[in-house]
Amino acid sequence: MAVTAYKVHGAVAVITMNNPPVNGLGHALRSGLIAGLEKALGDAKVKAVVITGSGNGPKQTFCGGADIKEFNTPKMLAEPSLHTVIRAIEASDKPVIAAINGTVMGGGLELALGCHFRIAVGGAQVALPEVKIGLLPGAGGTQRLPRLIGVEHALNMIVSGAAVPSDMFKGSKLFDAMSTPEALLKDTLALANKIVNEKQGLPLVRNLKMKMPNADGFFMVAKNTVAGMAGPFPAPGKCVEAVKAALTSRNFDEGMARESQLFAELINTPEGKALRHAFFGERAAGKIPDVPETTKVRAIKSAAVIGAGTMGGGIAMNFANAGIPVTVLEMKQEALDKGLATIRKNYENTVKKGKLKPEKMEERMKLLVPTLKYEDLRNADIVIEAVFEDMDVKKTVFQALDKVMKKGAILASNTSTLDLDKIASFTKRPQDVIGLHFFSPANVMRLLEVVRGNKTGKDVLATCMQLAKTIKKFPVVAGVCDGFIGNRMIHQYGRESQVLMMEGASPQQVDKAVEKLGFAMGPFRMGDLAGLDVGWYIRKRHYAEHPKQPRAAVADRVCELGRYGQKTGKGWYEYKPGDRTAYPDAEVEKIIVEEREKAGIKPRKISDEEIVERLVYALVNEGARILEEGIALRASDIDMVYLNGYGFPLHRGGPMHYADAQGLFNVARRMRDFSRNPHSDQKFWKPAKLVEKLAAEGSSFAGWDASRSSKSKKKGK
Ligand code: NAD
């Protein structure tokens, strides 16, 4: 079917946009709108024109704005642009009516604002969300919306990007009439005929006059408020300026010119690029080249979790929150009681904050079924194991699951470091085994690494990707290796932070340097928050297995003193009761000085810039190796892991995007510099082959992603 349909009902031509999934205003659709309009204008029998979207009902879409498939392609800018379409509508000598059959966003709303009349169904989402991708509405949205709903309301919508239900605009000038999904066509045709019969004029939003007493004061306050909330992002501030221009410009066209100028200023900001990278990266992460979207998924109507500890409890809550019954198994009654009590307490805290109704909490608690018996898991569609991180324990559990679980059930492990393929080998159904690596707290953190084993079935993978969305998680596919994507990379970041400390930087300097970049917390403060004993425990195991490998001497001594971080009041820093401020501590400083001496290191002054480079590029080099090994499908997936699970600052777009922004040529050079540093891991710092290759080609990780995505598209054909 063509992207637009054209049908005449009596004296009214109806142009229907049909570009699934959201009627994105791609080049073909824009051209179709112009063609439909010309056809209607050239037909003497047609007296009015309607633009609507295919499908009807509040869940349908009139138009969701720009076609993201065309983003950053020449088609996006090709004529007819949205401006041209809107100008053509405004120039029409026959009334053009937008019949808003559902969601109307971004360019879609701007299109409707360019029409002479608008009729909308109730319950439709109305928004100008461009700010969320670092832009502002650039096709007149900032100039027309305030003329219809008032400066204050329009500014709120434009600065927040938030969607408002259409019903809220009843009685405002935004909609000339309201309708229902069932009656929309009939009501629109009636409205059109009435406009024609009554020979109503052709009102244009651009001609509406605006007034606002005390505008200067209002915009001063708005500017300051928005600056406070926008953080490093420039778009919200520019939105304020654009709306102000609607009010203060001498005429509409001058305001439009200002809007275009502000839009152009935003298009190249690094912060906006990072936001768009995150936006597109999030969509790309759901695509698995060899697992088509049409893959048949398994039904998940019930779940089970093994282990009601820190992770198991949170994982179980995710299912209960989504209305899926979940059986929770522990070995001992006390552990089971403790786990369930913790879950209840978590819910009670949410109730106390007013974010959950008490009756909803009880509903969710009822969905949690505690048990000590494996037989009770028999009917679950999926089981997630979250027991101790010990291969022998995992073996016992998976062998038991293999015996009891029904055929076709998915057996998942939440392991963070163990070999998933080995875990799968404990069963006779490795195709049903998958890793679901939740992050702590599992009921809060959105990221989910979906670990694909050697033998994991494609339908199992597809099912888990879909399930992740049902339980409100953001899934990213990872291959099997120690630490998967996120933890494998963070290990290098942590290791390098220790080297920096040995070479002369204090923990507080290292922390401050990365916090200035935008991280909420530097590595030392983060360690204190998470608990230093966890890493120490893993290190001790590692030392036993690899006695010759260098030790983290300072970190070990800090732990030997019982300084485990915030929970013991002391770690890398000192904490006062009831105060989470990290105070530098002389005891730690003394250990650092002693260990430097022992290692024969003469401390030097290290710049904040070097600290940031060494920590972020450590992530990048390991990330590149992860890509080479096929552990991550694309560089943007790595960035999504870091933005959603590790507090990487959103306005930097993730480590791989950050490296692209610095230029891989420069990144590779710095890595080579670091590989000459005798105190660090020189082998590690040799740039990954992929970094060298892309740097030499003048390419980027984004370029690599794009070329692989087009190759896999060609293969699919
Ligand atoms: P935990 O010690 O808090 O909980 C483990 C629970 O499993 C305990 O309640 C224990 O009684 C129970 N258990 C142990 N053996 C069992 C068995 N055979 N049958 C039934 N129950 C059993 O541990 P955790 O932090 O929740 O970690 C669980 C898993 O999740 C580990 O594999 C860990 O690597 C992984 N993980 C942990 C985190 C984290 O931040 N804690 C993050 C991601 C993944």
Side-chain angles (χ1 to χ4, degrees):
M1 196 172 169
V3 288
T4 49
Y6 181 91
K7 196 169 172 195
V8 178
H9 300 253
V12 185
V14 178
I15 305 169
T16 305
M17 299 182 278
N18 183 34
N19 184 24
V22 296
N23 293 332
L25 283 161
H27 181 252
L29 179 50
R30 299 193 305 266
S31 307
L33 285 169
I34 293 274
L37 191 62
E38 282 175 0
K39 195 167 172 182
L41 295 180
D43 182 346
K45 289 197 293 299
V46 170
K47 306 289 181 211
V49 187
V50 169
I51 298 175
T52 192
S54 53
N56 75 30
K59 291 259 156 60
Q60 299 293 334
T61 306
F62 170 75
C63 174
D67 189 341
I68 62 167
K69 290 195 285 293
E70 287 185 6
F71 232 89
N72 291 333
T73 70
K75 274 196 174 171
M76 174 145 188
L77 301 174
E79 286 291 347
S81 66
L82 181 55
H83 283 277
T84 302
V85 176
I86 293 172
R87 273 197 295 266
I89 293 170
E90 286 188 329
S92 160
D93 55 6
K94 298 179 183 178
V96 182
I97 302 153
I100 297 164
N101 57 309
T103 301
V104 56
M105 288 199 183
L109 182 55
E110 292 178 303
L111 172 73
L113 297 177
C115 294
H116 302 108
F117 300 92
R118 286 157 298 280
I119 174 169
V121 298
Q125 297 289 303
V126 183
L128 286 174
E130 287 80 353
V131 72
K132 292 186 177 170
I133 52 169
L135 298 172
L136 52 75
T142 65
Q143 305 302 299
R144 290 191 180 90
L145 192 63
R147 286 177 155 78
L148 290 167
I149 64 168
V151 169
E152 199 170 342
H153 194 174
L155 188 66
N156 280 340
M157 280 182 72
I158 294 168
V159 163
S160 69
V164 178
S166 54
D167 314 70
M168 298 282 285
F169 297 103
K170 229 181 200 165
S172 83
K173 285 190 217 153
L174 181 57
F175 299 133
D176 301 278
M178 298 298 290
S179 182
T180 62
E182 301 74 34
L184 182 63
L185 179 64
K186 190 172 101 301
D187 288 351
T188 306
L189 294 178
L191 177 69
N193 286 318
K194 183 165 179 270
I195 292 164
V196 172
N197 294 338
E198 290 177 1
K199 296 198 170 54
Q200 291 187 20
L202 302 179
L204 292 180
V205 178
R206 60 155 56 226
N207 294 335
L208 293 173
K209 293 276 169 285
M210 294 177 71
K211 263 200 235 108
M212 187 182 197
N214 197 15
D216 285 345
F218 172 82
F219 279 103
M220 177 91 83
V221 173
K223 206 173 150 199
N224 290 338
T225 315
V226 166
M229 286 173 350
F233 296 103
K238 302 270 185 207
C239 290
V240 177
E241 284 186 54
V243 173
K244 187 176 175 190
L247 194 76
T248 55
S249 299
R250 277 170 303 179
N251 54 50
F252 181 81
D253 289 328
E254 191 180 281
M256 284 295 284
R258 180 77 181 126
E259 181 191 85
S260 295
Q261 185 192 11
L262 291 164
F263 184 89
E265 284 171 23
L266 283 175
I267 200 95
N268 279 324
T269 64
E271 296 82 3
K273 285 183 180 167
L275 277 180
R276 289 191 288 287
H277 175 67
F279 179 84
F280 290 112
E282 189 153 341
R283 275 141 194 86
K287 299 194 172 78
I288 312 167
D290 65 330
V291 181
E293 272 161 30
T294 48
T295 307
K296 198 164 181 291
V297 296
R298 302 185 188 182
I300 304 289
K301 298 215 169 77
S302 60
V305 174
I306 317 279
T310 312
M311 296 306 288
I315 295 170
M317 285 173 79
N318 290 320
F319 285 96
N321 296 349
I324 299 173
V326 52
T327 308
V328 183
L329 181 139
E330 266 284 350
M331 286 181 304
K332 296 209 179 88
Q333 190 63 45
E334 305 95 270
L336 198 53
D337 293 345
K338 193 171 156 224
L340 268 288
T342 308
I343 295 178
R344 177 171 280 278
K345 209 160 150 227
N346 270 334
Y347 278 137
E348 278 169 357
N349 284 339
T350 319
V351 170
K352 262 189 220 143
K353 285 184 202 147
K355 289 184 183 162
L356 183 72
K357 295 224 167 78
E359 55 276 20
K360 276 265 172 237
M361 169 178 94
E362 293 307 332
E363 264 173 39
R364 292 182 190 183
M365 285 306 294
K366 271 198 204 118
L367 290 170
L368 295 152
V369 185
T371 185
L372 297 171
K373 295 195 299 259
Y374 271 91
E375 296 86 77
D376 291 342
L377 312 184
R378 171 163 289 142
N379 292 322
D381 296 316
I382 185 167
V383 55
I384 301 173
E385 163 279 310
V387 302
F388 301 137
E389 187 74 340
D390 181 304
M391 197 52 108
D392 290 334
V393 185
K394 307 274 186 203
K395 184 174 179 180
T396 320
V397 170
F398 274 81
Q399 283 176 340
L401 290 175
D402 196 23
K403 279 202 194 103
V404 70
M405 299 305 293
K406 70 178 178 193
K407 192 170 166 269
I410 295 176
L411 315 185
S413 172
N414 182 45
T415 180
S416 8
T417 53
L418 301 175
D419 181 346
L420 184 81
D421 291 328
K422 192 156 178 204
I423 294 178
S425 76
F426 300 139
T427 73
K428 291 192 199 71
R429 38 174 133 175
Q431 75 282 359
D432 294 338
V433 177
I434 193 165
L436 290 180
H437 185 223
F438 289 82
F439 286 72
S440 182
N443 54 315
V444 178
M445 294 291 286
R446 219 178 134 233
L447 179 65
L448 177 68
E449 282 181 328
V450 177
V451 185
R452 180 180 192 173
N454 266 338
K455 298 194 174 149
T456 304
K458 287 185 184 178
D459 63 332
V460 171
L461 191 57
T463 305
C464 288
M465 294 300 280
Q466 197 186 72
L467 171 69
K469 290 196 183 125
T470 311
I471 60 171
K472 301 222 160 68
K473 297 289 156 188
F474 172 33
V476 178
V477 179
V480 177
C481 70
D482 190 353
F484 313 122
I485 298 174
N487 284 347
R488 175 168 156 182
M489 287 166 64
I490 208 76
H491 171 74
Q492 297 299 345
Y493 170 93
R495 183 196 51 70
E496 196 64 18
S497 68
Q498 296 287 312
V499 181
L500 283 161
M501 178 183 70
M502 289 297 279
E503 277 184 63
S506 64
Q508 44 278 26
Q509 192 202 349
V510 174
D511 282 350
K512 285 219 177 87
V514 289
E515 284 159 18
K516 225 165 50 195
L517 186 78
F519 274 89
M521 245 181 242
F524 293 94
R525 283 218 290 144
M526 184 51 113
D528 275 359
L529 179 70
L532 302 177
D533 48 332
V534 187
W536 190 38
Y537 174 78
I538 297 171
R539 280 201 304 279
K540 281 191 284 190
R541 207 169 64 185
H542 197 76
Y543 296 155
E545 288 164 11
H546 311 275
K548 284 197 185 138
Q549 283 211 350
R551 298 182 174 222
V554 181
D556 291 349
R557 278 184 65 187
V558 166
C559 286
E560 279 157 21
L561 292 170
R563 302 180 64 117
Y564 294 162
Q566 284 195 18
K567 60 182 166 190
T568 56
K570 283 176 177 182
W572 289 109
Y573 296 94
E574 195 180 352
Y575 300 88
K576 298 185 176 144
D579 177 4
R580 292 193 162 202
T581 316
Y583 296 96
D585 188 334
E587 190 172 38
V588 173
E589 278 161 29
K590 188 164 162 279
I591 297 174
I592 297 172
V593 170
E594 286 171 6
E595 289 301 325
R596 277 179 193 150
E597 268 172 24
K598 256 196 236 166
I601 298 174
K602 217 170 136 229
R604 66 178 172 97
K605 199 169 164 0
I606 301 179
S607 69
D608 287 358
E609 194 189 351
E610 180 179 337
I611 292 173
V612 167
E613 283 178 327
R614 282 171 60 179
L615 292 185
V616 179
Y617 295 172
L619 295 174
V620 173
N621 214 19
E622 194 63 19
R625 292 190 174 116
I626 280 174
L627 288 174
E628 287 168 0
E629 292 168 30
I631 298 295
L633 289 170
R634 42 185 92 77
S636 66
D637 280 9
I638 294 179
D639 286 336
M640 295 311 108
V641 166
Y642 266 77
L643 293 178
N644 291 284
Y646 292 82
F648 201 97
L650 178 58
H651 67 286
R652 308 284 185 186
M656 312 312 268
H657 179 83
Y658 182 80
D660 278 356
Q662 310 306 308
L664 290 190
F665 184 84
N666 302 321
V667 173
R669 263 181 59 209
R670 289 303 277 152
M671 286 178 178
R672 284 193 291 273
D673 288 345
F674 303 149
S675 76
R676 289 188 287 273
N677 177 356
H679 305 302
S680 189
D681 183 339
Q682 295 183 311
K683 203 169 142 221
F684 168 81
W685 275 118
K686 207 172 151 323
K689 284 196 194 81
L690 183 62
V691 173
E692 290 285 26
K693 178 178 165 318
L694 296 173
E697 289 169 357
S699 185
S700 59
F701 289 117
W704 190 72
D705 279 359
S707 70
R708 282 169 53 95
S709 144
S710 68
K711 265 185 217 153
S712 79
K713 263 187 209 142
K714 272 189 202 137
K715 245 190 190 168
K717 268 185 188 165

